[in-house]
Amino acid sequence: MEDHLTFEEQLKRHQAAAKAAILAQCDRLASAGITFVAAHFDGSGDDGVTEEVKCYDSDVYTHEECEPVAHDASHLHEHFDALVPYGYENDAGGFGDVVLDVRKRTITVERNDRFEDYSTTTYEV
């Protein structure tokens, strides 16, 4: 049956399964004192990487401003990677974070796209 689905439909199902698997871990993460779980992604020129999933016990999450805590969440990497926006690595690339707010039981994806620009000046001499 899945062979008859479009790419977008397959992607949507895969992401829904990943979201459910991540949210199912909230009680266990909360009992360990974890408030946020995040995976940072970065890419350009048709190449990209998703960093390892890291756990935090902070009141807010901001990439590179919060210090991760020692808690193994590597079993969630595949699920976080499934939520990374498709095509973020194309052209000048994009970067961002997939973030689980354990308390709110929400997952947020922040994607920043890079773009190239130029300015042209024409004058007669």
Side-chain angles (χ1 to χ4, degrees):
M1 183 77 168
E2 200 144 312
D3 293 339
H4 296 63
L5 298 175
T6 66
F7 174 76
E8 288 80 17
E9 291 168 331
Q10 290 178 23
L11 183 62
K12 195 173 191 174
R13 280 191 178 181
H14 186 63
Q15 289 177 333
K19 178 181 176 181
I22 292 169
L23 291 176
Q25 297 295 310
C26 284
D27 287 339
R28 191 173 68 82
L29 292 163
S31 68
I34 305 300
T35 55
F36 292 95
V37 181
H40 183 75
F41 59 91
D42 198 344
S44 66
D46 299 337
D47 196 21
V49 66
T50 303
E51 295 178 4
E52 68 183 72
V53 175
K54 297 178 182 173
C55 297
Y56 302 86
D57 63 358
S58 55
D59 290 330
V60 295
Y61 168 79
T62 305
H63 179 67
E64 293 187 342
E65 290 184 23
C66 297
E67 195 65 35
V69 296
H71 184 82
D72 183 17
S74 60
H75 63 286
L76 294 174
H77 183 82
E78 181 181 335
H79 303 303
F80 272 77
D81 199 36
L83 298 176
V84 169
Y86 180 75
Y88 77 92
E89 71 282 5
N90 293 336
D91 302 321
F95 64 95
D97 299 285
V98 178
V99 181
L100 166 65
D101 184 325
V102 176
R103 291 183 203 144
K104 293 181 181 176
R105 295 176 185 257
T106 58
I107 301 171
T108 306
V109 179
E110 180 179 299
R111 174 181 176 165
N112 303 282
D113 290 316
R114 295 182 184 97
F115 61 93
E116 295 179 22
D117 195 6
Y118 63 90
S119 176
T120 302
T121 303
T122 305
Y123 56 93
E124 191 174 311
V125 289

